[in-house]
Amino acid sequence: TSTSSSYSQSSLSRISKAHRSMMAKTSNMRRQRFVTGKYPLYVTVKQNPTKKWLGLAESQICLNGTNIEKSLASYDIFHWLEEDERRELHGDYELLSMELLAEIHVKKPGYVNILPKIGAGSSLTSPPLFDWKSWKSRDSVVSGDEQPPLPPLNEEDLSEQERLWITGFSLTKNRGELHTLDVETGAMSYVNEITARAIKWPNEVASIPRQQYVMNHHPTNSSTTTTFASSNGEQLEDALLVTDGFLVPGKDKGGLYVVQNPTNSATERRVCLTGVTNLQGDIINGESDWFYHRAVWMDMTGDGRQSILAARAKLPLLQGNSQDDNGTLGKGQLVWLERPMPHTFDVRTGTPLDVDGTVFDPFRPSNTPWKLRILDEGPDVMFSVADLDPQDDTIEVIASQFFSKKLSLHSIKLGLEPKVTFRRVIDDRCGAAFSSVLADLDGLT
């Protein structure tokens, strides 16, 4: 980690060791090419003790346990091939290339998410740690030469850029880690200590879509009403949805948290959507015995409101309970949290209002925790969402069940009262499944 004084330093010799490693050149800044061939290739990134001792970046790319340049799969060794042999090589086998761009040091990294820069973290106004134009052009930074400052970003530029979010956790410390890296400037930021101590085991994070409203004019009676508009996902809040908790004692009382203006030291605040927390950040009222790994935003009610679909788990065995009838240690549930409705709307502007007349904020403490409903039993960790039949009013959830050791499908009928109308087990011999990836393999959809 870097100290607060690091932000004002421009010399490489004055910054922290972590940032020196992040900026240090790798042994080979050119792209490394290799050929797949007939046999499996295992690409790994390993630490190089020699580089670490020299103060350079510690990591190097290896192919089947050795440097790519020394591997028989290296493309460079085929330079002696005849033209027809080279053509055959290109036609029969895949050519791949990799390049190690940078090394980022954080404490105990857990989950890594790349999110749009225009969302969470967009209120950060601190200057970048270094003014470089890209991760590769670091020569002048390393040598201490002056570089021209980066031009100011307009909203269009910001919408196309991304920010890296890294969560971390520890068995021994009573706090979580939540870092963000601006991939354009290399500036790293962190949530404040209050947030870190409240979210003790942060898992996956997600952007938060901005709820849209639309005013409807009725010419027959000259009246106006305001309704929710479907979100296109383009407008995001400067906020982060964080899933929290794990089966480790002391970390098993997790929840779903919204961190507004994350890593902004002046305006950052957090709120728990699954319970009421005390000053220490512990949930004292609500669903406190569950932990969460994934949560997604979705219009569950069909009226345009962006609610939350999530999977949660608990391990009662650590609390003195025994296994269930199926011999399963833990328990999982597929749940949804309903976004609260505004008290009313301003008749002239359509602005949503709270009961006290102020602008409605669904993350305000008076509007939390959100109402939680159980959709089905079983899903406990990661899941994917798909609309397998766009013609009907259902969506499908493909869920990995860690405790039940299976992969399952759940079809949810959307509406004012969402419910599971169909379920089936896809695979019950896969073992303790933690995650699955939904992909179109035949290219027909």
Side-chain angles (χ1 to χ4, degrees), residues 213-218 224-227 346-351:
Y213 303 91
V214 58
M215 292 186 66
N216 304 302
H217 300 277
H218 306 282
T224 301
T225 59
T226 303
T227 57
D346 186 280
V347 294
R348 293 177 297 123
T349 63
T351 303

Side-chain angles (χ1 to χ4, degrees), residues 294-314:
R294 170 165 290 178
V296 298
W297 294 92
M298 181 169 295
D299 179 10
M300 299 289 297
T301 50
D303 57 3
R305 277 183 296 160
Q306 292 297 307
S307 298
I308 297 176
L309 178 67
R312 64 180 187 175
K314 64 164 44 176

